[in-house]
Amino acid sequence: MLWLLMKHRTRRTADAAQTRVQVLSVLVNKATSFDSSDAALVTALIQSRRLLSEPSRFAFRLSEPSRAGDRAGGWRVAVPAGVDLAEPYVELSYVDAVRERHRRPLLDCVTARFEDVAPVRQFRWSRGERHFAGWYWAATTGQHVGFESWLERDRLLLMDFDPEVMGIASQPFWLHWHDGERDRRHAPDYFVRRTDGSAAVVDVRADERIEPKDAEAFEVTRLACSQAGWRFERVGVPDAVLLANVRWLSRYRHPRCLNGPVADRLRELFATGGPLMVGADAAGDRLATLPVLFHLLWLQELTAEAMSTELMGPRTVVSLANGGAQ
């Protein structure tokens, strides 16, 4: 019985391989009728022609179900082994906004809105682990964004404070590639969309905790981002003073802290700059004005001097951003 099962499986594998070769043959034969500038398609056709004309020089990996633990699901794309590519062949797997799973070549995903996707893996925490995972409510998007460590949370806080950021997604996709020996994958920590429409992929890791396998994953991510036209950032521990100030302001990031009449009065008082507490008292009861003042500082409509070098206090000089320009 075991022999029959093995024979049946071998026959199915051979049939699948023959079908794939037939499909590739059709693509190659019809290549002259295509009028396309898609670099990925042209590359695939060239590699297909080389595979069909010189089959003995290539070991072809058949598609097969994703290995255990690959939550993205789907099938591995068959890629000719031994092809001399200048950069790693990379695929992305992700979960879209309606919770459907996809796996596609990198160049097919360049225009995808990864700032809206769901995380590709869950955020878990167990007793005894060094990292603490959780969810942070981002004022930028009005949604919760996940983090897997305090360091990731701190960096997420700074991204939320950045006025040039308009979208943030955590664990946006898996990057899949082959390192010459085995299949590898890496999930960057964040995908960031900026107000000018550009995108950045961010990995968070302290300098002293980068191991060789991490450095390789970051380099592949950098190369993939270069191909896709995205910016890649590997960030570590942020400046302690700046983080402390932004963390304090983040307590007042919710729109409920904004009171229109009080905000107008504060803008008027700080038009020429002045000490933080003096302006708060001049605007009314400090219990009512300070939350609004801190919210305007979070929005960066008001700015505090020396945010990255001095902790904010009653004497911190506050002024309108951009010299009073609205």
Side-chain angles (χ1 to χ4, degrees), residues 36-47 85 89 105 107-108 227:
S36 172
S37 58
D38 187 354
L41 176 60
V42 174
T43 301
L45 291 173
I46 293 174
Q47 293 176 355
L85 297 176
Y89 174 78
L107 296 181
D108 289 351
Q227 294 179 47

Side-chain angles (χ1 to χ4, degrees), residues 185-246:
R185 68 174 185 169
H186 171 63
D189 294 315
Y190 297 106
F191 183 91
V192 176
R193 181 72 64 183
R194 300 192 177 277
T195 54
D196 62 1
S198 63
V201 174
V202 180
D203 266 311
V204 182
R205 189 70 57 88
D207 295 346
E208 65 275 10
R209 299 199 60 215
I210 298 178
E211 300 180 0
K213 64 177 183 179
D214 301 321
E216 179 184 349
F218 295 156
E219 177 62 14
V220 171
T221 305
R222 185 190 67 79
L223 292 173
C225 289
S226 177
Q227 294 179 47
W230 303 328
R231 179 178 177 182
F232 174 68
E233 302 175 7
R234 201 284 303 170
V235 296
V237 179
D239 177 81
V241 176
L242 175 62
L243 178 62
N245 285 328
V246 174

